[in-house]
Amino acid sequence: MSLINIRGNTYYIKGGTNSGLYLFTDNTAIIIDPGLPGLRPRKIIKELKENNIEISYIINTHEHDDHYGACKEYKLENKNIKILSSKYAKLYIENPELFSKYIIGGKSNKFLDEFFKRSNQSSLYIDEELTLGNVIINKEVFKIIEFKGHTPGSIGVMTKDKVLFVGDLLVSEDMLNKYDFLFVFDIKDYIESLNKLKTINFEYMVLGHGKNIINKDDSYKLIEKHENAINNYINQIKEDLKEPMGIEALLKNIIVRNDLHCNYKEFYFYKSSLVSIISYLCDLDEVSYTIQGGELLYYIQKNQIMIK
């Protein structure tokens, strides 16, 4: 659970969800994405105490509980910690049941809820909403960057050491090779965020999920792989929609064709990403719909070309 120095005062802690840490000169610190509740945050808190480091702020890059879930444990340890997020992420963090409702498309049920242990988040509140651009925290400047797409409230955080924490905008190459049907809320926003990332002047990048720190040069290759993954599934869907097809049939094709691991939760994650791609194609006027025999069917409009 040791702190790993990246550069200057910027560190990270490896885990299922990587956590960032910026150490101030007064030996207080910011945690970026504390991860899930449980044993890991307790070990981190113990190690920080042993090194006389006091957490004063927590920044959450987005509204998924594998990133913010441990906030309450830090807050219980020190009630003066300020928890920060974007305005949109705040809505979901303070009302975690909304995520299940959004995923399932209505009231959630026990089959989905059993994947999300919500008790630790029942009284979690965001103390301050982060604005975009340069933000001063404890006399230090941090750059807050909008990275919408994976979720509507996703942000990146860059320290003065030019280390950029991107949350789940990107995943590691190893993970992408296994799980290339990315969980994306808005395809257009996601593509724009990938393009924005190419223009940012950072030197090292920390992924929410991945074993290695990414330097600027290597980031271009990883971004391209994410773009290819998105375009691959867009093209699969466009090929299937040469004939009218419903969402369930499309989803079955995607899962079977790509041999995707699937449990109840993952089924709805895949369905959410599929609907996002359909909505993207609808907004581009590439896809239309018909209702036949009470079934909603989508189809690709004529004269549409495949993405290369």
Side-chain angles (χ1 to χ4, degrees), residues 26 71 130 195-196 201 214 227 233 267 273 280 291-292:
D26 61 4
C71 283
L130 288 164
N195 287 329
K196 182 189 296 184
N201 182 27
I214 309 297
E227 292 171 332
Y233 282 97
F267 179 89
S273 293
Y280 174 67
I291 298 177
Q292 298 179 6

Side-chain angles (χ1 to χ4, degrees), residues 30-302:
I30 288 180
I31 286 276
I32 301 170
D33 284 347
L36 285 166
L39 182 60
R40 181 174 181 266
R42 292 195 290 272
K43 286 184 175 180
I44 293 173
I45 289 169
K46 181 176 182 293
E47 180 175 335
L48 294 177
K49 277 187 174 181
E50 290 172 352
N51 287 277
N52 297 314
I53 297 172
E54 179 181 347
I55 299 299
S56 52
Y57 297 90
I58 296 174
I59 295 179
N60 300 293
T61 62
H62 64 284
E63 57 271 29
H64 287 165
D65 63 356
D66 60 326
H67 289 255
Y68 73 76
C71 283
K72 187 177 178 183
E73 287 170 271
Y74 285 92
K75 193 81 166 180
L76 288 173
E77 181 68 24
N78 178 4
K79 66 179 181 180
N80 294 318
I81 290 175
K82 290 186 176 181
I83 302 176
L84 316 177
S85 77
S86 69
K87 181 178 181 179
Y88 199 101
K90 176 180 186 290
L91 175 66
Y92 276 77
I93 292 172
E94 293 186 346
N95 302 277
E97 74 282 356
L98 293 178
F99 179 73
S100 297
K101 292 177 180 178
Y102 133 63
I103 286 295
I104 207 166
K107 186 183 182 300
S108 188
N109 60 53
K110 66 178 183 179
F111 303 119
L112 186 60
D113 291 342
E114 69 184 12
F115 287 99
F116 303 109
K117 308 303 181 185
R118 303 298 190 192
S119 59
N120 271 23
Q121 283 79 57
S122 58
S123 60
L124 179 60
Y125 296 99
I126 299 299
D127 296 296
E128 293 182 15
E129 296 174 9
L130 288 164
T131 57
L132 301 177
N134 291 336
V135 173
I136 298 175
I137 302 174
N138 195 16
K139 301 179 181 179
E140 295 274 9
V141 177
F142 297 83
K143 187 171 185 178
I144 307 301
I145 303 160
E146 187 174 59
F147 280 146
K148 293 193 298 184
H150 175 63
T151 72
S154 291
I155 58 171
V157 182
M158 186 161 68
T159 72
K160 71 175 185 180
D161 300 315
K162 293 192 178 296
V163 178
L164 177 61
F165 296 87
V166 297
D168 284 352
L169 177 61
L170 301 178
V171 299
S172 70
E173 187 171 349
D174 287 344
M175 183 171 288
L176 187 62
N177 289 336
K178 294 178 181 178
Y179 309 104
D180 65 339
F181 193 29
L182 298 166
F183 186 26
V184 176
F185 176 84
D186 188 306
I187 300 298
K188 180 176 181 291
D189 282 345
Y190 186 77
I191 293 170
E192 290 177 352
S193 291
L194 292 180
N195 287 329
K196 182 189 296 184
L197 182 57
K198 299 173 189 176
T199 70
I200 295 172
N201 182 27
F202 67 89
E203 295 193 14
Y204 298 99
M205 180 170 61
V206 180
L207 311 177
H209 306 284
K211 297 179 180 179
N212 300 317
I213 302 300
I214 309 297
N215 63 39
K216 178 67 174 179
D217 289 339
D218 289 341
S219 72
Y220 294 112
K221 179 182 176 182
L222 188 58
I223 292 168
E224 182 180 12
K225 286 181 175 292
H226 282 70
E227 292 171 332
N228 290 341
I230 290 290
N231 288 334
N232 171 44
Y233 282 97
I234 289 174
N235 283 333
Q236 287 187 41
I237 291 163
K238 291 175 71 172
E239 182 67 28
D240 284 344
L241 291 183
K242 287 181 177 179
E243 299 294 335
M245 188 174 294
I247 291 292
E248 297 291 333
L250 275 169
L251 184 57
K252 178 181 177 180
N253 283 358
I254 288 172
I255 291 172
V256 172
R257 182 188 298 126
N258 298 281
D259 194 25
L260 300 177
H261 180 272
C262 192
N263 58 31
Y264 196 85
K265 178 189 74 172
E266 289 165 339
F267 179 89
Y268 276 101
F269 281 17
Y270 297 145
K271 186 176 182 180
S272 177
S273 293
L274 169 59
V275 170
S276 295
I277 292 175
I278 294 293
S279 295
Y280 174 67
L281 293 174
C282 288
D283 289 344
L284 292 176
D285 292 326
E286 295 188 19
V287 162
S288 191
Y289 75 93
T290 182
I291 298 177
Q292 298 179 6
E295 185 179 9
L296 176 63
L297 306 174
Y298 292 97
Y299 61 91
I300 197 76
Q301 301 203 71
K302 293 181 179 179

Side-chain angles (χ1 to χ4, degrees), residues 1-15:
M1 198 63 63
S2 298
L3 290 175
I4 301 170
N5 183 250
I6 303 171
R7 186 181 182 190
N9 290 352
T10 306
Y11 300 76
Y12 83 113
I13 306 165
K14 288 184 179 180

